[in-house]
Amino acid sequence: MSGSNGRTDTHTYQSLSEDGPFGPVEQPKRSTGRLVMHSMAMFGREFCYAVEAAYVTPVLLSLGLPKSLYSMVWLLSPTLGFLLQPVVGSVSDHCRARWGRRRPYILTLGIMMLLGMALYLNGDAVVSALVADPRTKLVWAVTITMIGVVLFDFSADFIDGPIKAYLFDVCSHQDKEKGLHYHALFTGFGGTLGYLLGAIDWVHLELGRLLGSEYQVMFFFSGLVFTLCFITHLCSIPEAPLRDGAQDPPSWQVPQGSSLLADGMQEYGSIEKVKHSDAETELITQGRANKKVPEQRQRAMSMKSLLRALVNMPSHYRCLCISHLIGWTAFLSNMLFFTDFMGQIVYHGDPYSSHNSTEFLIYERGVEVGCWGLCINSLFSSLYSYFQKALVSYIGLKGLYFMGYLLFGLGTGFIGLFPNVYSTLVLCSMFGVMSSTLYTVPFNLIAEYHREEEKEKQQGAPGVPDNSGRGKGVDCAALTCMVQLAQILVGGGLGFLVNMAGSVIVVVMTASAVALIGCCFVALFVRYVD
């Protein structure tokens, strides 16, 4: 596909669908076990996300962070992520590490997530042990905790793009859809376990007394689960390194029987042997004619061309990004402040009271019940993800997309209007529908767009160069950076709304209104492939 005006241009928004010198190469079928192993990254990530969502706002408020500033904590990391996500996505498209294109970035971001968790869950305890002066201790505790939150949030948001691009690189179209459903399924399972552990009163249990506090208990479990999950993920499906055609011999000089997928012409995918056949002769001839195209594409990907490609993206990509932005704005508005909403509005507690007061203990009880609500959300997200594959054959991706936004908008609206403990917990199931929708449907649409572009290229005139300079990493990054932009909007806007309204109930009502607006947008403006 070329740009919106149809002409050939080096800066048009096109996808590098592993076209290389031999045309698109369909990846082999992946076993269910490999796809499950690949999905364990989402399990570990969401487990840690659940701990953050349940504890960060109460931790910051209990440390004494001013009420007018606590939403600003969420602004720093998404701002960096929004600016850097497409750049890193493009760099990973052209990464020539021996370990593959995506996994080096996934490993680095995973280590940063662990460091961020260590800081925000243990910062107060470490500062209290090292600093005696109360005022100095407060400043350092707030500072270290905020640094940990920013580092963790930045890494956890950033890592989603490389994980999705890794899946798209090494799987066939059918396995991409299957893998995305497993991602959503294990995302729900990870969140369920994380919120479940957060809802347990560890202070009065032996493990809590042994490790010092509930925060140290959560760090122990988070670090253990996250490390095991990411080791499993990184070992799930091997990647072939991206090679430099100027340094490696052309594929037509390689002895017979060698892999066409790992040739010296920037062809990229998983490490698989391709059987030699009579059709290989024709592919070699095409490879000689087109062998310089990928090298030109590699050199063309500058910062200027990247920005121009993102600005000139086709309208259906742009509309999908906008719908993703609307959905995440609604979802994050509710989820980031949900436990605080339960403590203050539903239970009528006060996080600013002294820690031994009745009001503060009631607030903590509300936070614990809020964790149970988020646990219900994650559990229902997993169940809904399991049935999504059956539902899509009846109502299609458009129906799934619309239904996710609608149910979330209605559910949050009822919670805001009737803040009762039991009705709120029941309606938390609607959060799970939205969560599963956001993690699957937009990326399914991206996969459909890629597949459509590959078919158009195969049907086009032979020998026409593809001067796009873009890859699947940029496509996934353009979509996932909408999460960071949503966090910027939530962090910058909700603090102002809470101060104006004098109550956090405005957060839930805002989430409901934005989700209902999203219903109209996904129905009218998002393009669905038949």
Side-chain angles (χ1 to χ4, degrees):
M1 287 178 61
S2 60
S4 57
N5 56 3
R7 68 170 184 264
T8 303
D9 187 5
T10 57
H11 301 298
T12 52
Y13 192 87
Q14 294 172 319
S15 180
L16 302 179
S17 28
E18 279 81 81
D19 44 335
F22 305 119
V25 178
E26 184 72 9
Q27 296 292 340
K29 180 176 175 59
R30 302 295 172 194
S31 66
T32 300
R34 290 289 181 180
L35 294 176
V36 169
M37 290 174 66
H38 193 280
S39 302
M40 292 308 294
M42 301 305 293
F43 182 94
R45 172 181 176 264
E46 197 65 19
F47 181 94
C48 298
Y49 244 149
V51 174
E52 184 203 33
Y55 281 102
V56 165
T57 299
V59 166
L60 291 173
L61 292 179
S62 64
L63 288 175
L65 189 72
K67 186 177 181 179
S68 60
L69 295 178
Y70 76 91
S71 66
M72 298 298 290
V73 174
W74 307 105
L75 274 177
L76 299 177
S77 61
T79 300
L80 292 174
F82 179 71
L83 296 174
L84 297 177
Q85 184 94 269
V87 177
V88 174
S90 173
V91 173
S92 72
D93 280 331
H94 303 141
C95 176
R96 295 185 178 89
R98 294 180 62 186
W99 207 28
R101 285 197 293 186
R102 316 298 180 188
R103 289 187 292 178
Y105 292 91
I106 294 172
L107 176 62
T108 302
L109 292 167
I111 294 173
M112 291 170 62
M113 284 180 64
L114 279 175
L115 180 59
M117 279 194 299
L119 291 177
Y120 82 76
L121 286 174
N122 301 292
D124 186 28
V126 172
V127 171
S128 298
L130 298 177
V131 180
D133 180 63
R135 184 175 179 83
T136 305
K137 181 173 69 175
L138 175 63
V139 172
W140 276 105
V142 171
T143 302
I144 291 177
T145 303
M146 288 182 64
I147 291 174
V149 172
V150 170
L151 184 62
F152 173 84
D153 205 39
F154 170 80
S155 306
D157 288 341
F158 220 115
I159 206 170
D160 190 48
I163 289 174
K164 292 296 192 297
Y166 178 18
L167 177 71
F168 285 9
D169 284 336
V170 298
C171 291
S172 65
H173 182 75
Q174 290 76 15
D175 285 338
K176 289 175 190 177
E177 294 180 344
K178 191 176 179 181
L180 287 172
H181 283 294
Y182 280 126
H183 277 200
L185 183 67
F186 281 92
T187 293
F189 284 151
T192 300
L193 183 59
Y195 291 126
L196 183 62
L197 292 179
I200 296 174
D201 186 7
W202 294 103
V203 176
H204 298 95
L205 297 179
E206 184 64 30
L207 186 59
R209 289 191 290 268
L210 178 64
L211 296 178
S213 74
E214 58 184 341
Y215 300 140
Q216 279 71 59
V217 173
M218 294 310 300
F219 175 69
F220 170 76
F221 282 116
S222 299
L224 180 63
V225 170
F226 181 83
T227 301
L228 293 176
C229 287
F230 266 71
I231 290 175
T232 304
H233 168 77
L234 293 171
C235 298
S236 60
I237 304 175
E239 294 181 278
L242 189 70
R243 297 180 182 176
D244 190 347
Q247 298 175 359
D248 297 306
S251 58
W252 49 271
Q253 294 178 358
V254 178
Q256 292 183 356
S258 61
S259 173
L260 291 175
L261 291 179
D263 64 280
M265 304 301 300
Q266 285 86 23
E267 185 60 49
Y268 179 79
S270 63
I271 300 176
E272 298 288 345
K273 293 293 182 182
V274 180
K275 295 182 179 179
H276 182 67
S277 65
D278 295 335
E280 199 169 314
T281 305
E282 182 180 353
L283 294 176
I284 290 171
T285 304
Q286 295 175 1
R288 286 177 180 149
N290 298 331
K291 67 178 183 177
K292 292 185 179 179
V293 173
E295 295 175 280
Q296 295 171 353
R297 183 184 299 141
Q298 293 279 355
R299 291 194 298 268
M301 203 58 200
S302 63
M303 174 64 74
K304 182 178 179 181
S305 62
L306 171 63
L307 293 176
R308 189 172 298 179
L310 292 174
V311 170
N312 295 331
M313 66 173 70
S315 59
H316 56 280
Y317 278 95
R318 188 180 298 112
C319 288
L320 182 60
C321 287
I322 294 173
S323 69
H324 206 52
L325 172 63
I326 294 173
W328 274 104
T329 300
F331 189 69
L332 291 176
S333 296
N334 183 67
M335 299 301 289
L336 293 180
F337 301 96
F338 182 72
T339 54
D340 186 48
F341 170 81
M342 289 292 292
Q344 291 196 57
I345 303 301
V346 179
Y347 273 78
H348 307 289
D350 185 3
Y352 297 100
S353 299
S354 59
H355 287 198
N356 58 351
S357 66
T358 303
E359 290 80 6
F360 184 81
L361 294 176
I362 292 175
Y363 174 80
E364 282 202 324
R365 176 58 182 164
V367 170
E368 291 177 0
V369 175
C371 289
W372 284 107
L374 295 177
C375 179
I376 294 172
N377 145 62
S378 296
L379 181 61
F380 203 83
S381 175
S382 293
L383 294 175
Y384 183 72
S385 300
Y386 182 79
F387 292 107
Q388 256 192 1
K389 202 167 186 180
L391 286 173
V392 73
S393 61
Y394 293 100
I395 61 177
L397 289 176
K398 184 175 184 179
L400 287 177
Y401 216 4
F402 180 83
M403 186 170 68
Y405 281 58
L406 178 64
L407 292 178
F408 179 80
L410 295 177
T412 50
F414 280 117
I415 287 174
L417 294 174
F418 310 103
N420 176 269
V421 176
Y422 300 106
S423 62
T424 298
L425 290 176
V426 170
L427 290 171
C428 282
S429 58
M430 299 300 100
F431 303 169
V433 174
M434 184 66 159
S435 173
S436 178
T437 299
L438 291 173
Y439 279 119
T440 54
V441 177
F443 292 99
N444 271 318
L445 289 173
I446 282 284
E448 293 286 352
Y449 296 162
H450 288 166
R451 189 185 190 189
E452 185 180 55
E453 290 175 0
E454 290 173 6
K455 287 182 178 179
E456 289 182 358
K457 281 189 225 176
Q458 288 177 327
Q459 295 170 0
V464 178
D466 179 10
N467 299 316
S468 64
R470 287 185 53 259
K472 291 177 180 176
V474 177
D475 287 335
C476 293
L479 192 62
T480 55
C481 73
M482 294 299 105
V483 181
Q484 281 88 42
L485 183 55
Q487 283 187 318
I488 294 171
L489 296 176
V490 170
L494 285 187
F496 174 77
L497 290 177
V498 170
N499 288 332
M500 289 289 292
S503 171
V504 292
I505 198 171
V506 70
V507 172
V508 176
M509 300 309 298
T510 300
S512 176
V514 174
L516 293 176
I517 292 172
C519 286
C520 301
F521 192 90
V522 300
L524 299 176
F525 298 103
V526 175
R527 177 171 171 263
Y528 302 90
V529 180
D530 293 332

